[in-house]
């Protein structure tokens, strides 16, 4: 726990409880692709907190690839739960890649032939940073937030899927690397939108698919939304006697998350 701050013990319990419900504290996630789908009007921060917390507790390195939120967002999120990403960055425990900043620095040079070059450059940076971190960390997590923004770079669906193939080849080549992809989905989007098709495809190649969604009935002061966990590896499910799909509800507050089995009000 040396890289975690001296926060209240209850926060450790909360994050460990979430990791336990997801199963990532039991299963060796190296070489695996984990997809987190965040539907509009829901908030996946508590899931990412759990992933980050579990990684730091186990002395893993983390490579953040931030297409959407900023380093400050994750730093502020972490300070609530006892880890300081700024200090961890100084210790080379984490690394930050912000593609939008790369785009902004090269905006005047962007035109059709260079779009794919920028996307490929980002992959090379990810690969190089992971290789560097593997030299001093037992495992390395790649956390990509939000990969749907690849379409804002001018990529089409075919190019986006090729990009996933590159990333999968990376975690397969280095079996100490884990890949977490966050996608944000608008439920009312047309089914043939690029983002929805991309997310649907990712579900079928993910080893673990986690979805959070708002309540169909709208706002509630008691429940924030639904959590669905879908393990897609049969031998893991059989080993731990997990159903293929587990459904929960969750309640968020500033520094806490409570997860319930449907019809109960006790922390799972």
């Amino acid at each position: 726990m040396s890289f975690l701050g001296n926060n209240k013990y209850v926060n450790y319990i909360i994050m460990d409880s979430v990791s336990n419900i997801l199963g990532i504290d039991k299963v060796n996630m190296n070489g695996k692709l984990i997809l987190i789908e965040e539907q509009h009007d829901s908030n996946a921060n508590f899931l990412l907190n759990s992933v980050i917390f579990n990684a730091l507790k186990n002395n893993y390195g983390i490579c953040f690839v931030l297409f959407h939120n900023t380093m400050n967002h994750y730093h502020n999120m972490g300070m609530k739960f006892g880890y300081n990403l700024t200090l961890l960055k100084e210790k080379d425990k984490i690394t930050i890649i912000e593609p939008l900043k790369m785009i902004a620095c090269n905006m005047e040079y962007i035109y059709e032939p260079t779009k794919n070059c920028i996307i490929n450059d980002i992959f090379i940076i990810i690969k190089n940073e992971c290789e560097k971190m593997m030299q001093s960390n037992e495992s390395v997590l790649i956390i990509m937030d939000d990969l749907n923004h690849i379409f804002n770079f001018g990529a089409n669906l075919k190019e986006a899927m090729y990009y996933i193939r590159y990333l999968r080849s990376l975690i397969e080549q280095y079996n100490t690397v884990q890949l977490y992809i966050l996608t944000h989905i608008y439920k009312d989007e047309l089914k043939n939108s690029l983002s929805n098709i991309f997310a649907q495809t990712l579900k079928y190649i993910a080893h673990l698919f986690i979805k959070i969604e708002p309540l169909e009935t709208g706002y509630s002061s008691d429940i924030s939304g639904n959590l669905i966990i879908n393990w897609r590896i049969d031998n893991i499910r059989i080993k731990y006697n997990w159903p293929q799909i587990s459904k929960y509800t969750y309640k968020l507050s500033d520094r806490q998350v409570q997860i319930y089995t449907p019809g109960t009000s006790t922390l799972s």
Side-chain angles (χ1 to χ4, degrees):
M1 301 285 283
S2 59
F3 286 100
L4 300 174
N6 296 317
N7 207 0
K8 293 181 179 180
Y9 182 68
V10 66
N11 286 338
Y12 299 127
I13 297 297
I14 291 167
M15 289 297 98
D16 279 342
S17 296
V18 176
S19 297
N20 182 262
I21 288 168
L22 297 178
I24 60 175
D25 62 336
K26 304 178 186 68
V27 179
N28 183 348
M29 303 303 293
N30 289 339
K32 295 180 176 57
L33 189 159
I34 301 89
L35 175 66
I36 299 174
E37 181 182 292
E38 176 189 71
Q39 289 196 0
H40 192 58
D41 290 331
S42 58
N43 189 331
N45 281 347
F46 75 95
L47 295 175
L48 292 174
N49 253 323
S50 174
V51 168
I52 295 166
F53 191 93
N54 186 67
L56 296 176
K57 188 175 74 169
N58 288 288
N59 201 34
Y60 296 169
I62 305 176
C63 175
F64 289 91
V65 186
L66 304 181
F67 286 89
H68 184 69
N69 288 305
T70 64
M71 164 65 174
N72 285 339
H73 167 82
Y74 282 96
H75 173 76
N76 294 336
M77 187 173 76
M79 291 298 288
K80 293 181 179 180
F81 287 90
Y83 55 88
N84 186 320
L85 291 186
T86 300
L87 293 179
L88 290 167
K89 189 172 186 296
E90 293 174 0
K91 298 174 183 289
D92 295 324
K93 200 66 186 171
I94 71 166
T95 187
I96 308 291
I97 301 169
E98 296 182 278
L100 293 181
K101 286 188 176 180
M102 295 172 56
I103 293 293
C105 292
N106 296 278
M107 186 66 71
E108 60 186 291
Y109 301 107
I110 295 179
Y111 58 98
E112 190 65 31
T114 63
K115 290 176 182 175
N116 288 340
C117 293
I118 294 171
I119 294 173
N120 290 337
D121 287 347
I122 295 169
F123 173 75
I124 296 300
I125 292 171
I126 294 171
K127 184 175 185 293
N128 291 341
E129 290 295 329
C130 283
E131 289 175 344
K132 190 186 306 181
M133 296 189 78
M134 280 188 285
Q135 297 174 11
S136 55
N137 293 281
E138 180 180 339
S139 295
V140 175
L141 276 66
I142 304 172
I143 296 178
M144 308 196 76
D145 168 28
D146 163 6
L147 191 54
N148 278 338
H149 284 292
I150 196 172
F151 298 117
N152 299 132
F153 289 15
N156 58 36
L157 187 59
K158 181 179 179 180
E159 291 163 342
M161 291 313 303
Y162 270 118
Y163 201 68
I164 293 298
R165 286 179 61 183
Y166 296 152
L167 293 167
R168 289 182 68 190
S169 69
L170 178 63
I171 64 174
E172 289 169 0
Q173 179 182 359
Y174 302 109
N175 58 8
T176 58
V177 178
Q178 309 170 19
L179 176 59
Y180 287 80
I181 296 176
L182 173 68
T183 61
H184 188 92
I185 297 297
Y186 290 85
K187 192 173 183 180
D188 294 332
E189 281 185 342
L190 295 175
K191 291 184 178 180
N192 60 353
S193 70
L194 286 178
S195 295
N196 277 3
I197 295 173
F198 189 44
Q200 286 292 333
T201 305
L202 289 176
K203 291 177 188 178
Y204 290 103
I205 62 176
H207 297 91
L208 171 61
F209 170 53
I210 308 165
K211 177 170 69 173
I212 61 167
E213 59 186 14
L215 298 174
E216 290 187 5
T217 54
Y219 174 79
S220 167
S221 59
D222 299 319
I223 297 295
S224 300
N226 299 314
L227 166 66
I228 298 96
I229 302 169
N230 183 358
W231 274 97
R232 304 186 60 84
I233 308 175
D234 288 340
N235 60 345
I236 289 178
R237 291 194 300 102
I238 293 170
K239 179 179 179 179
Y240 294 101
N241 196 29
W242 291 334
Q244 184 173 355
I245 298 177
S246 302
K247 296 182 179 181
Y248 302 90
T249 57
Y250 67 93
K251 170 63 178 175
L252 296 178
S253 57
D254 186 41
R255 293 176 182 266
Q256 290 190 357
V257 56
Q258 293 174 293
I259 299 179
Y260 309 110
T261 54
T264 70
S265 58
T266 304
L267 179 65
S268 299

